[in-house]
Amino acid sequence: LYAMMSALIRGEQAVLADRVVVMTDGGILTDGARREVFSQVELLRAAGLTVPETTMLLYELRQAGFDLPLDALSVEECAQTLRDFLTKA
């Protein structure tokens, strides 16, 4: 078994990880696959953290009433998500 742990101040690199553990005040706030963790926009923001811009865009569109998933982490994935949504509409 091989494990690697990396403490990050900025989250840009976290979108590349298979698993993300978010800690605050010495405890685990959330733990899971990167898409699962970054989809928890309100929890992360309440802790003073940011989410990828792509996730934030989809979150804001969802808040405006559009039924969009929040798991697109790259610009390409976000564009495909929006393309798929507009094609179905």
Side-chain angles (χ1 to χ4, degrees):
L1 177 65
Y2 176 75
M4 182 176 86
M5 185 171 138
S6 176
L8 303 171
I9 301 300
R10 297 175 52 162
E12 293 91 9
Q13 296 166 338
V15 299
L16 303 175
D18 293 329
R19 177 179 173 198
V20 176
V21 179
V22 179
M23 299 182 71
T24 183
D25 297 323
I28 295 175
L29 180 65
T30 187
D31 175 6
R34 63 182 175 247
R35 293 179 194 286
E36 175 187 332
V37 169
F38 286 118
S39 292
Q40 300 174 53
V41 175
E42 292 173 10
L43 177 70
L44 296 173
R45 290 180 69 199
L49 302 171
T50 60
V51 297
E53 291 177 353
T54 53
T55 303
M56 197 64 213
L57 171 63
L58 295 172
Y59 174 80
E60 289 175 358
L61 289 170
R62 181 181 258 195
Q63 293 299 106
F66 298 98
D67 186 23
L68 291 164
L70 300 178
D71 62 352
L73 298 178
S74 70
V75 172
E76 293 79 14
E77 291 172 339
C78 186
Q80 186 62 51
T81 296
L82 293 171
R83 189 177 307 116
D84 293 345
F85 178 78
L86 293 171
T87 302
K88 292 178 187 176

